[in-house]
Amino acid sequence: VAQEADGIDLDNLDAVLRRLRADGRRVRFLYVVPNFQNPTGLLLGREKRRLLLDWAARQNLLIVEDDPYRDLYFEDAGERDIRPIKADDREGRVVYLSSFSKTLAPGYRVAWIAAPPALAGKFEMAKQASDLCTGELDQRVVFEAYKRGVLARHVPLLRQHYRGKRDVMVAALKRELGKSVSWPTPQGGFFLWATLPSGIDSDAMIPSAVERGVVYVAGTAFFVDGSGADRIRLSFSAPTPDRIDEGVKRLAVTIREALAHPRASAASPA
């Protein structure tokens, strides 16, 4: 479904649902990442959260709310802006998912789900069929970190840490590429979603970028209709600020080269 500046396009959502049903498809649920979506970094607007619940009730559908980045908001977003859709669910229409891997530590692949008991029981059975159960040690470490206030002390530091990296990336993009590349400034999360100048194919440009020691995810990976060649997803979560700055410099050289040789950049990579 198409996205707007404040998240999912509700008119397009209706159009997609009508088209799928007209094709005889059974639509089971809407999957949405409301807070700092991967890849766009967009924050779903407060009013749209309410409207999505109303929409799900009218259409008799579930919403799967995937919310791993909720606590990683920056100065432009607060608690009211990141309120889960699930918090206002009175009919059991929202299945809420989140994880400790983005806050406590990436190695802790411990997540949780809030769902109607009938659904949660089925999910548990399916998971047991796959891996028996999540490691007990990891769960106990997460529990103690929460109980002892480690998470409460740690998360504000993470916000400051990632906000600083975002600022470095935005400043470097402005300095190196000016207005030739555009993006919505992420208010949280890990990602920046950039639109390249017209005529550049982000897939075809990857080999040249890799030769310079920098890599990104091409936009086509995030579209279902084959579009997105003019988009790239950049991540500021792992690299140091110095490496972010250097990476943007190298990316800018690659983009300028593609602009100077548009035919080469638009060709399919070997």
Side-chain angles (χ1 to χ4, degrees):
V1 178
Q3 301 288 307
E4 298 179 309
D6 60 346
I8 194 167
D9 182 331
L10 298 176
D11 290 335
N12 185 246
L13 175 62
D14 273 331
V16 170
L17 180 62
R18 287 194 302 269
R19 186 184 73 244
L20 291 172
R21 286 177 169 170
D23 290 341
R25 302 281 295 278
R26 180 186 173 194
V27 179
R28 293 167 173 82
F29 59 84
L30 169 70
Y31 172 86
V32 62
V33 182
N35 294 317
F36 322 120
Q37 185 208 43
N38 178 8
T40 64
L42 294 176
L43 180 65
L44 185 65
R46 296 181 199 171
E47 179 65 7
K48 281 192 173 178
R49 295 171 191 242
R50 183 187 66 80
L51 292 173
L52 272 182
L53 265 180
D54 293 343
W55 174 87
R58 289 196 310 273
Q59 302 297 343
N60 194 26
L61 292 174
L62 297 176
I63 295 175
V64 175
E65 181 180 13
D66 194 3
D67 200 15
Y69 309 109
R70 178 180 181 272
D71 290 324
L72 300 179
Y73 59 86
F74 305 148
E75 74 283 350
D76 300 324
E79 289 290 337
R80 290 184 62 199
D81 296 302
I82 60 172
R83 179 179 173 86
I85 301 170
K86 180 66 176 176
D88 298 306
D89 176 25
R90 301 292 178 263
E91 298 182 342
R93 291 196 176 276
V94 180
V95 175
Y96 183 86
L97 316 173
S98 194
S99 170
F100 292 98
S101 65
K102 305 297 188 293
T103 50
L104 185 57
Y108 284 107
R109 313 306 288 183
V110 178
W112 74 91
I113 184 170
L119 282 176
K122 296 291 187 182
F123 299 152
E124 183 179 13
M125 289 177 61
K127 186 177 188 301
Q128 286 179 352
S130 173
D131 64 3
L132 295 183
C133 64
T134 300
E136 184 177 338
L137 176 60
D138 284 358
Q139 293 182 76
R140 288 183 177 275
V141 170
V142 168
F143 174 72
E144 290 295 331
Y146 184 85
K147 186 177 72 172
R148 300 183 187 190
V150 174
L151 271 173
R153 296 190 298 271
H154 184 54
V155 169
L157 299 178
L158 287 180
R159 294 185 194 124
Q160 181 180 359
H161 177 72
Y162 291 127
R163 181 174 63 238
K165 290 187 174 188
R166 176 208 62 181
D167 292 346
V168 169
M169 179 170 282
V170 168
L173 286 167
K174 289 180 178 177
R175 182 187 70 239
E176 298 295 331
L177 292 163
K179 296 182 179 180
S180 61
V181 171
S182 61
W183 59 88
T185 299
Q187 296 176 279
F190 291 161
F191 308 110
L192 185 144
W193 184 236
T195 300
L196 302 175
S198 177
I200 294 184
D201 184 327
S202 59
D203 280 293
M205 196 173 66
I206 287 176
S208 179
V210 171
E211 285 181 2
R212 292 185 171 88
V214 64
V215 72
Y216 53 81
V217 181
T220 51
F222 302 102
F223 286 80
V224 297
D225 60 359
S227 62
D230 63 338
R231 310 293 177 90
I232 58 175
R233 190 199 75 174
L234 304 176
S235 175
F236 49 82
S237 59
T240 64
D242 287 345
R243 289 180 66 83
I244 291 172
D245 193 77
E246 179 61 26
V248 171
K249 289 179 182 177
R250 298 182 187 189
L251 178 64
V253 172
T254 305
I255 292 173
R256 286 194 289 268
E257 179 186 74
L259 283 171
H261 306 284
R263 290 185 180 179
S265 68
S268 297

